[in-house]
Amino acid sequence: MSIAETQTGTPAWRLLLGYVRPHRRSLLAGAVLSLVTGATGLMLPLVARGLIDDLAHDRAITGALLAMSALVVTNAAVGALGSYVLQRTAESVVLGARRALSSYLLRLRITAVDRSEPGDLMARITSDTTLLRAVTTDSLVGLGTGGLTLVATVVMMGLVEPVLLGVTLAVILGAGVILGVIVPRINKASRQAQDAVGVMGASLERILGALRTVKASGAEHREERTLHEAAQESWRQSVRAAKWSAAAGNTAGLAMQIAFITVLAVGGARVATGAIDVGTLVAFLLFVFYLMSPIQQVVGAVTQYQTGAAALTRIQEALRLPAEPTTAAAAPLPSPGAQPAALAFDDVRFRYADDLPYVHHGVTFAVPAQGMTAFVGPSGAGKTTVFSLIERFHEPESGTITFDGRDLGDWELTQLRAAIGYVEQDAPVLSGSLRDNLLLGNPEADDDALARVLKTTRLDGLVARLPAGLDTLVGHRGTKLSGGERQRVAIARALLRRPRLLLLDEATSQLDAVNEAALRDTVADVARTTTVLVVAHRLSTVTMADRIVVVDAGRVRAVGTHRELVTADPLYAELAATQFLAASD
């Protein structure tokens, strides 16, 4: 049983057929052209035997020469066309695999992404899918056309001279035994080589994602060693696979050379005894020469299949990661003036993995439609997890969460998320222009809506200063913007979605006092027409909230206004006193 079959439960050849099936017609056309190429080649030894007979009997050879010339030209033309059709089909197979895999990866559940290395996933969609190109043409088609050509050649050799065929098959059988030992080693080495490429990609992504930290820590040389070790391992395993592939190819070539020498010796003896004539020996030797091509094609197909099987296994592993359900299209965003959403948690328990402690121990609270609700508490209390559960990035282990009185699990994901605007803690900005980032959640937003949001979030001044305005490129992960600017871009992006529920996770942590105060007023204005949930460590951001939920160690310990909680809850009073809010209040 192959690696692909043991790890995915499905043989690699069946997985390959799944990718090839949409292109079966063009693949069949390429295979037919390859067979025609083989057939024209098989005719050449027979025409050559006739030519030798004509020479021996002083007959005209013009017809035989024209026939050979026509066969050679046809063989080259049909062979070139067949090669193009097969290569084009192989590229189409790769394209289909990349489309399917990229679409699936975009639907992965956050839990699956958290457990995976992004660099390794990227390697599966780039280098692993690339291997399908060769395995489609060299393995699938090569095995079929090469195998048929091999059988046809053997039949023709048997018709020409059965005794010499037996000698040839004996040599080939010995080579087949050796290949049976080599082929499994190619499979194992190929899989390890592809795994090493994934590790290298993961290492590179890890370093580039925190390059400033690496440089500031003086860790370039240490990380360089890590990256080089991963590259060295990839090289080592690839060389190992190449070694066994070369051994397989050379075994086939050596077998054919031995077969030629043996046939020449045995055939020469049979000519000397008068058992066969010279024309028959020449024709058979030409068949032996011609037999080399389909044998190498079959051997190459088998060895290439081992490499492809390893790649197919890794692709299939990615396609078996937990993913969210597929939807036909994106849900429409809320219309202007849509009613704010109501939310409630009832005895929710949650942990990120079975071997990790609980983050929520029966969290219960209710958020009415409209207004601002703030979540405060020590780090690690479970505040950000509340937002992850609302967005259904994770599912609660027990308890219920309702959105507009309806269980969160009953909502279609696209409809649920269309009603929510979410500003993450680190306010990520994507590579591209400022306009692209702002319109990410609502590409249909008009210029008036964009201008209003820019003014609301105080980004209009930034846009005026930028050389290309909204079309200015912000760099990888928004490196050309300050932390505060990235936060305001993330807030503007969320507001453009006209959310019925706005989630702000530490949305003002990197803003200066002036911009924080301005944005606090903006959030208060938004809370008059929608429901706003805010997670904040800086209590100055949430003192004017309609209600504050104090979370500690995965439990809700108190709910109230700032004034109520300062006197009623010791933890909140301590937080307020630490930030000099209690006295001023």
Side-chain angles (χ1 to χ4, degrees):
M1 186 175 287
S2 68
I3 293 177
E5 187 172 357
T6 56
Q7 293 195 6
T8 67
T10 306
W13 63 266
R14 194 180 293 275
L15 298 176
L16 179 60
L17 289 179
Y19 288 107
V20 169
R21 191 170 292 114
H23 313 282
R24 57 186 179 274
R25 291 183 179 177
S26 58
L27 193 66
L28 180 61
V32 169
L33 289 171
S34 296
L35 288 175
V36 171
T37 304
T40 57
L42 283 175
M43 296 297 293
L44 284 171
L46 298 179
V47 176
R49 183 170 69 171
L51 178 64
I52 293 173
D53 287 342
D54 289 340
L55 286 171
H57 296 87
D58 292 325
R59 293 194 294 262
I61 61 171
T62 305
L65 287 174
L66 289 175
M68 289 187 70
S69 300
L71 285 173
V72 169
V73 172
T74 302
N75 185 274
V78 176
L81 180 60
S83 177
Y84 167 74
V85 171
L86 289 176
Q87 290 296 333
R88 190 178 188 277
T89 304
E91 292 293 346
S92 299
V93 171
V94 173
L95 174 62
R98 284 176 174 168
R99 282 178 170 174
L101 187 54
S102 59
S103 297
Y104 192 84
L105 292 182
L106 285 174
R107 299 197 311 273
L108 285 183
R109 293 193 177 277
I110 297 297
T111 50
V113 177
D114 290 343
R115 290 196 302 266
S116 305
E117 290 284 357
D120 182 56
L121 294 178
M122 286 189 286
R124 293 173 195 248
I125 205 173
T126 52
S127 72
D128 287 340
T129 54
T130 300
L131 291 176
L132 293 182
R133 180 190 301 118
V135 80
T136 300
T137 54
D138 296 348
S139 183
L140 193 61
V141 177
L143 189 61
T145 59
L148 288 175
T149 304
L150 179 62
V151 171
T153 305
V154 169
V155 170
M156 297 293 289
M157 293 170 75
L159 294 174
V160 171
E161 171 51 26
V163 175
L164 295 181
L165 174 62
V167 173
T168 305
L169 291 180
V171 176
I172 293 175
L173 181 62
V177 173
I178 298 174
L179 290 174
V181 177
I182 293 175
V183 165
R185 288 170 168 77
I186 299 174
N187 189 316
K188 182 179 179 180
S190 298
R191 173 57 201 262
Q192 291 175 340
Q194 289 304 111
D195 285 343
V197 170
V199 172
M200 186 175 66
S203 300
L204 185 60
E205 192 276 338
R206 167 179 170 270
I207 294 167
L208 293 180
L211 191 57
R212 286 176 173 80
T213 301
V214 170
K215 288 181 177 296
S217 303
E220 293 98 328
H221 293 297
R222 292 196 300 276
E223 296 300 334
E224 183 182 43
R225 283 197 300 272
T226 301
L227 192 59
H228 285 187
E229 287 171 2
Q232 181 75 15
E233 180 63 18
S234 175
W235 172 86
R236 184 163 46 248
Q237 297 300 341
S238 296
V239 168
R240 184 177 167 211
K243 176 186 69 176
W244 290 114
S245 296
N250 283 312
T251 298
L254 179 62
M256 295 314 302
Q257 291 175 17
I258 294 174
F260 178 79
I261 294 171
T262 306
V263 166
L264 185 60
V266 176
R270 287 176 64 77
V271 169
T273 59
I276 61 174
D277 55 31
V278 175
T280 299
L281 177 59
V282 171
F284 197 92
L285 288 173
L286 287 175
F287 274 124
V288 172
F289 267 121
Y290 192 76
L291 191 64
M292 189 177 299
S293 177
I295 284 182
Q296 289 182 333
Q297 196 173 11
V298 170
V299 171
V302 173
T303 56
Q304 190 63 55
Y305 174 77
Q306 303 306 316
T307 302
L312 283 165
T313 301
R314 284 171 49 80
I315 293 171
Q316 197 66 12
E317 284 173 354
L319 292 173
R320 290 164 66 89
L321 293 173
E324 296 172 346
T326 307
T327 54
L333 296 175
S335 58
Q339 289 297 314
L343 183 79
F345 274 51
D346 182 18
D347 196 26
V348 171
R349 291 172 58 83
F350 172 76
R351 54 183 171 178
Y352 284 99
D354 293 341
D355 57 346
L356 293 177
Y358 281 95
V359 179
H360 286 170
H361 303 269
V363 170
T364 300
F365 63 85
V367 177
Q370 196 171 321
M372 183 196 303
T373 300
F375 293 84
V376 300
S379 297
K383 305 183 295 298
T384 297
T385 303
V386 169
F387 287 4
S388 292
L389 292 175
I390 294 172
E391 284 275 10
R392 286 187 63 190
F393 296 148
H394 302 281
E395 302 290 343
E397 189 170 296
S398 62
T400 57
I401 306 172
T402 57
F403 188 88
D404 283 343
R406 180 179 166 194
D407 192 284
L408 215 59
D410 296 335
W411 283 80
E412 187 176 311
L413 272 177
T414 53
Q415 292 181 340
L416 174 69
R417 291 172 182 168
I420 301 173
Y422 181 33
V423 179
E424 298 176 61
Q425 196 166 29
D426 54 355
V429 173
L430 280 67
S431 204
S433 70
L434 181 58
R435 186 191 303 274
D436 292 338
N437 275 278
L438 292 169
L439 298 180
L440 183 67
N442 183 10
E444 306 301 324
D446 56 30
D447 291 341
D448 290 340
L450 192 56
R452 283 196 303 272
V453 168
L454 288 174
K455 186 175 182 181
T456 297
T457 55
R458 290 198 168 192
L459 282 171
D460 48 351
L462 170 66
V463 173
R465 293 193 305 272
L466 292 174
L470 286 171
D471 296 317
T472 302
L473 298 179
V474 297
H476 178 60
R477 298 187 179 180
T479 52
K480 295 182 180 179
L481 302 176
S482 69
E485 289 167 347
R486 287 197 295 271
Q487 283 192 322
R488 281 181 280 162
V489 168
I491 294 169
R493 184 168 57 208
L495 292 178
L496 277 172
R497 289 171 62 82
R498 303 186 299 270
R500 298 177 55 223
L501 174 65
L502 179 62
L503 308 177
L504 302 175
D505 191 356
E506 294 288 348
T508 62
S509 61
Q510 299 189 55
L511 297 181
D512 57 71
V514 174
N515 279 310
E516 181 191 0
L519 196 59
R520 190 167 60 237
D521 294 339
T522 296
V523 173
D525 289 339
V526 172
R528 294 191 180 97
T529 57
T530 191
T531 306
V532 180
L533 271 59
V534 180
V535 168
H537 284 109
R538 288 158 60 171
L539 300 189
S540 58
T541 308
V542 299
T543 52
M544 301 303 294
D546 298 292
R547 70 200 57 79
I548 298 174
V549 179
V550 184
V551 184
D552 183 28
R555 291 183 173 84
V556 175
R557 54 177 292 152
V559 179
T561 64
H562 172 68
R563 290 179 179 274
E564 293 169 349
L565 292 173
V566 163
T567 57
D569 185 70
L571 175 60
Y572 188 85
E574 181 182 353
L575 293 172
T578 303
Q579 299 184 32
F580 306 101
L581 293 174
S584 62
D585 197 58

